[in-house]
Amino acid sequence: MWMWIILASFIAFILILYLASPLLSPPLVELKDAHVLVTGGSSGIGKSLAILAVKSGAKVTIVARNKDRLLEAQHDISSHTNNGNKEQVQIVSVDLSSDFEEVQKSFSKAESTFGPIQFLINCAGTSIPGRFEDLPISTFQKMLDINYMSAVHATRAVIKGMKSRCEGRIVFVSSQAGQLGLCGFTSYSASKFALRGLAESLQMEITPYNIRLTLAFPPDTNTPGFEEEQKTKPEETKLISETSGLFSPEKVAQTILDDTVRGRFFSSVGLDGWMLSNLTCGFSPSTSLMEAVQQVLFMGSFRIVSIFYLNHFDKIVKECKLRRDAELKNR
Ligand SMILES: NC(=O)C1=CN([C@@H]2O[C@H](COP(=O)(O)OP(=O)(O)OC[C@H]3O[C@@H](n4cnc5c(N)ncnc54)[C@H](OP(=O)(O)O)[C@@H]3O)[C@@H](O)[C@H]2O)C=CC1
Ligand SMILES: CCCCCCCCCCCCCCCC(=O)[C@@H](N)CO
């Protein structure tokens, strides 16, 4: 009898939390007529994000370096606008990783046509996998410049405006490799972990200004960038990252955009993504009561799960090493 009462109270408690959660979460924001700037919007996840944003009626600026790919993407994205409005998408060609002044100038130009940037989605990035000793030293700098400094530059270019208007949403696209380190990603993972330090610190600074950050941790996603990275990925890196599956850019983009509109700090995709976000939540801001309860309930048990995963990953790395050794011997 008591068992049933305890169980029923527990279920009622979770239900109340679930129902109360939206009341305690940040308010939803409208994409319709907003100016959304997507870095890396000419390809992959960024392009899918841009398509979803125009479908919701937003004015979208896509930013990347290669002009031809930008023009092609502008054409594709425009075809998804609700009223066939070709004026809803503009392109900006700039290298985000190097010169802040250039970035600032190009963003001002984008704002002069579409109005103040209300959503900044930092998606430009790339991955160069390889074993630590095989990667040129310059790669470590390059990863930080492209994956981390690009986000710093773009965010600096919009933050003053957002603060003065007391509105805005900023997204950093990290990766599951920004939640755990895995072999073959020494330079890439470090640049994606860096985004988390930036996001947590900045969120605390800008919460009083009603600006929300979303930090997204996608798994492997089927994009041109992913195809490129597969060409040089060590065998063990492939085997380990395959664990959490391969997702479509549309699915990943939809999740990121939903979480952004809801003002969620963490954005993850899939079951492994959900487990990882609970396990690695650390001192990150909690953006819904339900999320906080899940973290408290599951963190400990997911740590046990992660120890089994780690053991499995170590085995993969060891087997690949033994295979390589044997191949060398037979030569
Ligand atoms: N695909 C995946 O498996 C996963 C990807 N991610 C992350 O998601 C993001 C997007 O990945 P994905 O869609 O695969 O990438 P893609 O390679 O398909 O697209 C990358 C985009 O970023 C732009 N870009 C790259 N460098 C710069 C730069 N210096 N300045 C301006 N624009 C730049 C590219 O255009 P251009 O080259 O013309 O400049 C392109 O538009 C990346 O940050 C990636 O790390 C995270 C987890 C998984
Ligand atoms: C509770 C424990 C759960 C553990 C689950 C562990 C799953 C680990 C998988 C790591 C996948 C890394 C993908 C990186 C994708 C990426 O960023 C590149 N493809 C970029 O191009």
Side-chain angles (χ1 to χ4, degrees):
M1 169 71 177
W2 280 110
M3 272 293 284
W4 287 112
I5 294 178
I6 293 170
L7 190 69
S9 328
F10 182 72
I11 293 173
F13 175 67
I14 298 286
L15 202 69
I16 291 169
L17 285 183
Y18 185 72
L19 294 174
S21 216
L23 301 174
L24 300 163
S25 309
L28 296 181
V29 285
E30 278 274 341
L31 278 166
K32 189 164 176 357
D33 296 325
H35 181 183
V36 179
L37 186 142
V38 187
T39 77
S42 67
S43 170
I45 301 174
K47 187 170 156 190
S48 292
L49 280 160
I51 290 173
L52 290 175
V54 292
K55 277 185 177 168
S56 303
K59 293 169 280 181
V60 177
T61 303
I62 54 172
V63 184
R65 292 163 301 182
N66 185 306
K67 193 106 189 247
D68 293 337
R69 283 219 293 173
L70 275 168
L71 285 167
E72 211 177 293
Q74 181 186 33
H75 184 262
D76 289 354
I77 299 164
S78 300
S79 68
H80 289 88
T81 51
N82 285 334
N83 41 13
N85 188 355
K86 297 278 177 227
E87 323 286 63
Q88 218 178 308
V89 186
Q90 64 178 347
I91 60 170
V92 168
S93 166
V94 66
D95 182 349
L96 291 159
S97 67
S98 52
D99 185 348
F100 173 60
E101 306 263 296
E102 277 299 307
V103 176
Q104 212 172 14
K105 261 192 241 154
S106 59
F107 279 30
S108 299
K109 220 167 131 202
E111 288 192 317
S112 66
T113 45
F114 279 1
I117 295 163
Q118 286 139 322
F119 290 75
L120 166 66
I121 306 184
N122 288 296
C123 192
T126 193
S127 120
I128 305 181
R131 280 186 204 93
F132 183 64
E133 74 277 16
D134 295 340
L135 291 171
I137 289 293
S138 59
T139 300
F140 291 81
Q141 190 61 53
K142 199 169 156 191
M143 284 293 91
L144 282 176
D145 287 343
I146 299 182
N147 295 339
Y148 175 67
M149 288 312 293
S150 292
V152 171
H153 292 149
T155 307
R156 269 294 280 269
V158 303
I159 201 77
K160 265 200 190 137
M162 286 186 176
K163 273 173 113 171
S164 70
R165 297 188 306 274
C166 273
E167 63 161 17
R169 295 277 152 112
I170 299 169
V171 180
F172 293 119
V173 179
S174 175
S175 157
Q176 283 187 355
Q179 296 181 294
L180 76 149
L182 55 128
C183 107
F185 274 150
T186 46
S187 72
Y188 176 69
S189 246
S191 68
K192 292 295 185 180
F193 267 78
L195 288 173
R196 174 158 182 173
L198 170 65
E200 282 190 15
S201 312
L202 185 60
Q203 180 63 80
M204 210 184 271
E205 265 184 49
I206 59 183
T207 303
Y209 296 88
N210 194 30
I211 307 167
R212 291 280 163 188
L213 285 180
T214 296
L215 182 59
F217 300 110
D220 275 340
T221 309
N222 201 356
T223 64
F226 176 73
E227 268 172 37
E228 197 54 40
E229 122 185 298
Q230 285 294 84
K231 293 179 188 161
T232 55
K233 225 186 221 176
E235 190 59 26
E236 47 272 57
T237 312
K238 271 189 196 156
L239 291 171
I240 294 173
S241 72
E242 273 167 18
T243 317
S244 63
L246 179 63
F247 287 75
S248 72
E250 292 81 15
K251 162 82 183 149
V252 170
Q254 185 70 62
T255 309
I256 295 175
L257 208 59
D258 285 349
D259 289 337
T260 305
V261 166
R262 291 194 164 83
R264 292 200 178 127
F265 186 74
F266 271 0
S267 175
S268 58
V269 186
L271 179 65
D272 281 336
W274 177 74
M275 290 201 289
L276 271 177
S277 290
N278 280 287
L279 174 63
T280 65
C281 65
F283 225 112
S284 60
S286 173
T287 35
S288 87
L289 198 56
M290 199 58 193
E291 183 188 37
V293 171
Q294 284 174 9
Q295 290 164 350
V296 172
L297 289 181
F298 298 131
M299 214 182 191
S301 37
F302 288 169
R303 176 57 184 153
I304 303 177
V305 178
S306 79
I307 290 169
F308 284 98
Y309 270 94
L310 270 173
N311 201 21
H312 174 59
F313 295 163
D314 282 336
K315 255 196 209 136
I316 291 177
V317 177
K318 194 172 171 189
E319 274 164 20
C320 286
K321 177 200 177 284
L322 291 177
R323 219 175 302 146
R324 272 200 311 277
D325 287 351
E327 270 168 23
L328 275 179
K329 238 185 180 174
N330 290 340
R331 247 185 226 165

